[in-house]
Amino acid sequence: MEYQKALRQLIEEFKTNFMPSVSLDLAIFGFHDGQLKVLLLRWKGTDDWCLPGGRIRHEENLEVAAYRSLQQRTGLREIFLQQFHTFGDVMRYTNFSKQETMAKLGLPEDITEELVSRDVSVGYYALVEFANAVPTPDFFTEECRWWDIDQIPPLLFDHNDMIKLALKTLRRQLSYQPIGYNLLPDKFTMPDIQQLYETILGQTLDRRNFQKRMLGYNILERLEERKTGGAHKAPYLYRFDKEKYEKALAEEILFVG
Amino acid sequence: MEYQKALRQLIEEFKTNFMPSVSLDLAIFGFHDGQLKVLLLRWKGTDDWCLPGGRIRHEENLEVAAYRSLQQRTGLREIFLQQFHTFGDVMRYTNFSKQETMAKLGLPEDITEELVSRDVSVGYYALVEFANAVPTPDFFTEECRWWDIDQIPPLLFDHNDMIKLALKTLRRQLSYQPIGYNLLPDKFTMPDIQQLYETILGQTLDRRNFQKRMLGYNILERLEERKTGGAHKAPYLYRFDKEKYEKALAEEILFVG
DNA sequence: TCAAAAGTGTTTCCGTTACACCCATGG
DNA sequence: CCATGGGTGTAACGGAAACACTTTTGA
């Protein structure tokens, strides 16, 4: 069977090129239509969804591996990517009916053992511009698409918990780091970025206070008007001042009280 | 040679019982005499110091492995232990003159390769009561002792960076989580705990404001007087209300603004 | 001309910081 | 009896939250 042959070959390649026992998982957040989304993969021939993951090459930095994996799933580079926790419970595989899923995939038992043996996994979360991403499945999966954050189904492994913790970390991060550079188009309005914040935080914010705070950070530059299709008064357009933005990210203390 | 035989045996045991490619490192902080200390290990026959580490058994939870390693170095259980970052740079071994150190240890090259091949390492930091800890070296080391936080020598691997980041995380943590349960004796005075905070943060705090804040957390219970040897007015003794303390730790939001 | 959205500034509030006085104890 | 440290309360400050009016635009 052609598929199994390819599979065995892939596993061989894994064994020679990648570190055993360690993997990484990605919670890739996108923003569209006032909704926060997460990128999920569906395994071939099943209805089982999970987070995209990756492995680390023997001579590759962990962070580089995370960026590489992110690019393989979305086509994107130079994205906000942040490690948030490392998961190492043995139990995180119980939620996952190994035999069942593997059987659906048509995998013999010895391969199953190899493939889903217990790993320690480093969790990263990423923020990407929804429109620019090209969701791409990998060898084991046949579908890769965005899910609304509040409509995520029960996932394989401990991936529901991962998303929960990633989101929690992201929300905390939002309070002391600027976010938005990779989530918004080059030019955007104040209502745009406010909606982004409100979506991530899951709560509404005062228009005036938000603007005051955001401008206070000193990382935005205002352009001219915009009228496009929008009815009503045309809001200003803004753009991130890349240099100041990076500086703020590096300092990281900027927004702490 | 007896030593090399034991070593080979140990490595065999590692290979069969522990996960490859993943390890963990511990920044164990202790508090004594108004000084914050870190526990370091010195390799046999060398002047090279490093953080204590550990490995994960195949069927062992990551966190359990961390607690086990902590206990092996200090004899302590039920300690504040917190994951803070996972280190995965290949470069983190450059600082480390492999051949040199290994030669001092009398290790043949093939063992060297096995022993210090590149790992991804999960960093934990712990807070322990200085007086209760019994620093214990492991097979590779002959000395295990406390170092003042501001007198740490250049360490092997990337362990200086690890300590730096651990301390940074600890300080941040201090602002939104109660700390002290494992660092102070059962009964302690307000000046005691204030000194602990000042030591960790590296700055002095206002006596009155500190007390106000600390009591506001509602995790302390006041006992009676204390006079012991101390001259001057006898300060009250306090004790942590274990239940409320645990609750605060679990909520973790308690001290956020 | 009206409804809906955007631009802008002021007041209020609350938590943090700064600060002072009295009390107890051992030398 | 006094120097040193501990107990306690209040005033000042500043950043965040609450809040209102005017302007623009398409329908």
Side-chain angles (χ1 to χ4, degrees), chain B residues 10 21 46 65 98 110 118 137 141 146 150 166 193 204 209-210 217 227 236 240 256:
Chain B
L10 188 72
S21 299
T46 76
K98 206 189 275 186
D110 63 322
R118 179 264 174 123
T141 54
W146 296 101
D150 47 12
I193 192 172
T204 62
N209 294 334
F210 179 81
Y217 294 161
K227 57 177 178 190
Y236 285 105
F240 281 107
V256 172

Side-chain angles (χ1 to χ4, degrees), chain A residues 19-22 56-63 83-91 118-120 122 124 168 172 176 252-253, chain B residues 19-22 56-63 83-91 118-120 122 124 168 172 176 252-253:
Chain A
M19 300 178 78
S21 300
V22 210
I56 305 134
R57 292 180 185 278
H58 281 117
E59 295 297 326
E60 183 181 45
N61 283 357
L62 174 58
E63 198 179 40
Q83 181 187 315
F84 67 95
H85 190 73
T86 295
F87 299 84
D89 276 11
V90 176
M91 286 283 288
R118 179 265 175 121
D119 279 344
V120 166
V122 186
Y124 282 84
K168 185 176 166 188
R172 179 171 300 175
Y176 61 86
E252 185 201 348
I253 313 283
Chain B
M19 300 179 77
S21 299
V22 210
I56 305 134
R57 291 179 187 278
H58 281 117
E59 295 297 325
E60 183 181 44
N61 283 357
L62 173 59
E63 198 180 40
Q83 183 187 313
F84 67 94
H85 190 72
T86 295
F87 299 84
D89 276 11
V90 176
M91 287 282 288
R118 179 264 174 123
D119 279 344
V120 166
V122 186
Y124 282 83
K168 185 176 167 188
R172 179 172 299 177
Y176 61 87
E252 186 201 346
I253 312 284

Side-chain angles (χ1 to χ4, degrees), chain A residues 81-100:
Chain A
L81 184 71
Q82 171 102 4
Q83 181 187 315
F84 67 95
H85 190 73
T86 295
F87 299 84
D89 276 11
V90 176
M91 286 283 288
R92 64 197 198 92
Y93 291 92
T94 50
N95 176 25
F96 171 61
S97 166
K98 207 190 275 187
Q99 286 77 10
E100 200 181 315

Side-chain angles (χ1 to χ4, degrees), chain B residues 137-183:
Chain B
D138 61 20
F139 181 86
F140 297 103
T141 54
E142 59 182 350
E143 193 178 356
C144 180
R145 72 168 180 87
W146 296 101
W147 286 73
D148 279 3
I149 197 75
D150 47 12
Q151 284 170 18
I152 294 169
L155 305 177
L156 293 173
F157 315 109
D158 53 353
H159 288 186
N160 290 89
D161 291 332
M162 283 192 184
I163 293 178
K164 217 176 283 178
L165 187 57
L167 192 57
K168 185 176 167 188
T169 313
L170 170 58
R171 284 176 175 160
R172 179 172 299 177
Q173 183 118 358
L174 208 57
S175 68
Y176 61 87
Q177 281 205 347
I179 275 179
Y181 188 75
N182 294 301
L183 281 172

